[in-house]
Amino acid sequence: MPDQWMVVVSGPKYIDELKKMPDESMSLFRGLEELLSVNHILGEEVVSDPYHLAVVHANLSRNLPSLTDAVRDEMFDAFEQLIPLKGDEWVTAPGLKTTVAIIARATNRLFVGPTLCRNQGFIDLVTNFVFDFSKTRFVINLFPPFLKPVVTPFVNTVPKRVQEALGFVGGMLDERLKGLDQFGDTWADKPNDGFMWLIEEAHHRGKSRYNVTLFLLMTIFTSLHTTAMSFTHALYHLASSPQYVESLREEADRVLKEDGEFNRDSLNKLYKIDAFLRETMRLAGVNGVTVWRKAMQDCSFSDGTFIPRGTFVVANATDTQLDEENYANPEEFNPDRFMKANNEGALPMTTTGVDYLPFGVGKHACPGRFFAAFEMKLMLAYIVTHYDVKWPTEGYKPANQWFFSSIIPDRNAQVMFRRRQK
């Protein structure tokens, strides 16, 4: 790496050893903190007290059943607005940009409510924040540690973005803080969304308006970025694999007829859609390497490989998921590999293991993967029940792109949609 060495772990034996190493030996949070230059870009307060992680994880798991209908309706409305169909004609739309916009609407419905999630200025802000943060950390990580604090003020756009975000959420924030001061735990009409969860915890801890707004942007960034990248891979595979559309559509139609609408329970019956998404993430997950760790003390693997304190250690996701010992014909796109006998169920896309790493592995596997899976299954179900999809040129499939250690779908690829014909 430009500023230090990275040790890459391959094979189930050593990935399992890495997974089992205690946090005091191999720290996920310290690894991500340094990888993302969090202390430089966001400040030491975020590093020392990342309360948003536990708050959102606990509240999201508890409240998701009551919020899924609102997220679904927002997502479906976004589809209609962003892919406006004209009769039975084909309409061309930018793949990644459209996916980001739809997921931004749905995700922000969960975090900031029905009004702000449709505000185009706020949507532009949070989606640009993803790319601003990524570009900033990439530039900072080109420099050795002693130069990073010098470089950061010249390239860091995060403080400016937080101030811009306060222009959108400041009134709501002040109103909710006033409600907490006035009613406390007896507030009967307290809003129930991600922003409120953060505000409540920040209020208890005496955090600033800037701090809670920064954590709001970071939470949206985490939810939006990886989900959008992963689903764009799936959309591109769908356009390239028309042979799977009929079976996906048949399953979705049957479940929709049985349940009347797509909800959490009905999505759990979409085994083929689940398997399709799992296969796209196996072949082209968001990260080429994953399970980031930072060695907090000297340690060794079972073969004697010595890892000095301060070293980055990662698992090689790409080769793991293309290993013939893990998957037959690993280069082939085959969603059926994850279906159970007689199509009675599928291995869920959220299931992690030493042979499947898109969501990480072990106790630090991505806690938001269940909401991400909900969004992606809902999107794919909506697409196959409402649209035909293809590439502008028959047989075309855009190549994935590498950005440092991440694999991303082609940012400029165009996908064609028309109203479903059968």
Side-chain angles (χ1 to χ4, degrees):
M1 297 170 67
D3 59 344
Q4 60 186 285
W5 286 101
M6 177 196 296
V7 173
V8 183
V9 175
S10 292
K13 176 182 177 181
Y14 298 112
I15 293 175
D16 189 56
E17 288 186 24
L18 177 61
K19 177 189 76 172
K20 293 178 178 177
M21 288 185 178
D23 291 346
E24 56 267 24
S25 297
M26 289 284 181
S27 172
L28 166 70
F29 296 111
R30 290 299 176 184
L32 290 175
E33 165 197 323
E34 190 163 331
L35 169 72
L36 301 177
S37 291
V38 172
N39 57 327
H40 299 293
I41 299 174
L42 304 182
E44 292 291 343
E45 185 180 14
V46 174
V47 175
S48 62
D49 188 17
Y51 64 86
H52 64 301
L53 299 175
V55 168
V56 172
H57 176 41
N59 282 280
L60 185 58
S61 300
R62 184 169 61 250
N63 291 289
L64 189 55
S66 64
L67 295 171
T68 50
D69 288 353
V71 172
R72 177 199 62 210
D73 294 346
E74 194 66 44
M75 178 184 289
F76 292 176
D77 185 69
F79 266 108
E80 293 180 7
Q81 291 187 27
L82 292 164
I83 309 176
L85 299 178
K86 304 173 183 177
D88 293 332
E89 297 179 16
W90 288 97
V91 174
T92 302
L96 178 58
K97 184 177 179 181
T98 302
T99 297
V100 168
I102 291 171
I103 293 178
R105 280 272 301 271
T107 301
N108 284 318
R109 177 63 179 82
L110 176 72
F111 284 105
V112 295
T115 301
L116 201 52
C117 78
R118 300 178 185 181
N119 184 303
Q120 192 58 49
F122 186 73
I123 292 175
D124 291 342
L125 173 65
V126 297
T127 53
N128 288 333
F129 181 82
V130 172
F131 299 108
D132 286 348
F133 187 94
S134 298
K135 288 186 291 185
T136 300
R137 70 100 169 174
F138 178 75
V139 172
I140 291 173
N141 284 343
L142 292 174
F143 293 86
F146 73 93
L147 283 179
K148 290 181 180 182
V150 178
V151 174
T152 299
F154 295 99
V155 298
N156 188 11
T157 58
V158 167
K160 178 181 177 182
R161 298 300 181 214
V162 175
Q163 293 298 337
E164 291 174 357
L166 272 167
F168 289 101
V169 304
M172 184 193 305
L173 173 56
D174 292 339
E175 183 179 334
R176 293 182 177 191
L177 286 172
K178 182 179 178 180
L180 287 173
D181 287 333
Q182 183 175 356
F183 301 110
D185 294 335
T186 64
W187 188 359
D189 298 324
K190 183 172 64 177
N192 184 29
D193 56 35
F195 195 28
M196 190 68 233
W197 308 335
L198 292 171
I199 291 171
E200 197 164 13
E201 187 64 24
H203 183 260
H204 290 157
R205 293 169 180 258
K207 299 295 184 179
S208 67
R209 297 168 80 250
Y210 180 95
N211 176 275
V212 70
T213 306
L214 171 60
F215 276 171
L216 173 67
L217 289 180
M218 285 302 299
T219 303
I220 295 173
F221 159 68
T222 305
S223 302
L224 171 61
H225 174 66
T226 53
T227 304
M229 294 296 177
S230 295
F231 189 80
T232 303
H233 284 301
L235 176 62
Y236 290 0
H237 276 287
L238 187 70
S240 302
S241 308
Q243 69 272 26
Y244 290 107
V245 172
E246 184 176 349
S247 63
L248 296 176
R249 182 172 285 166
E250 182 181 85
E251 178 185 66
D253 284 344
R254 174 178 52 78
V255 169
L256 191 57
K257 184 177 180 180
E258 292 173 355
D259 293 4
E261 63 181 6
F262 289 125
N263 51 42
R264 280 191 86 198
D265 292 335
S266 60
L267 290 181
N268 289 333
K269 302 176 185 177
L270 298 178
Y271 304 123
K272 293 181 180 180
I273 281 178
D274 200 306
F276 188 95
L277 290 166
R278 185 176 178 89
E279 179 71 344
T280 63
M281 294 184 72
R282 180 189 71 83
L283 277 177
V286 174
N287 294 311
V289 295
T290 188
V291 196
W292 292 88
R293 298 289 188 270
K294 180 70 177 291
M296 305 306 294
Q297 58 190 30
D298 293 349
C299 52
S300 298
F301 285 89
S302 61
D303 68 343
T305 299
F306 175 70
I307 308 296
R309 180 179 181 273
T311 305
F312 266 130
V313 183
V314 300
N316 185 341
T318 301
D319 285 345
T320 294
Q321 290 156 196
L322 295 178
D323 190 335
E324 291 183 352
E325 294 188 8
N326 294 328
Y327 301 97
N329 302 315
E331 302 281 350
E332 176 188 351
F333 179 73
N334 177 21
D336 292 338
R337 72 173 76 244
F338 295 116
M339 294 295 297
K340 296 181 181 178
N342 300 320
N343 290 332
E344 295 180 357
L347 183 63
M349 61 182 292
T350 52
T351 302
T352 65
V354 294
D355 60 348
Y356 185 80
L357 303 173
F359 290 117
V361 68
K363 67 178 182 179
H364 291 305
C366 174
R369 66 188 185 277
F370 302 102
F371 180 61
F374 166 79
E375 286 190 304
M376 287 193 285
K377 290 172 71 172
L378 194 59
M379 289 181 73
L380 188 53
Y382 188 85
I383 287 174
V384 298
T385 54
H386 288 78
Y387 301 104
D388 292 331
V389 181
K390 71 174 185 177
W391 291 114
T393 303
E394 187 175 352
Y396 172 73
K397 171 70 167 65
N400 293 326
Q401 301 172 344
W402 279 87
F403 182 76
F404 184 47
S405 62
S406 296
I407 300 172
I408 62 175
D410 189 319
R411 290 168 288 183
N412 300 311
Q414 302 283 314
V415 181
M416 298 188 74
F417 297 83
R418 73 173 176 186
R419 197 178 311 280
R420 173 183 171 179
Q421 298 296 293
K422 62 179 182 178

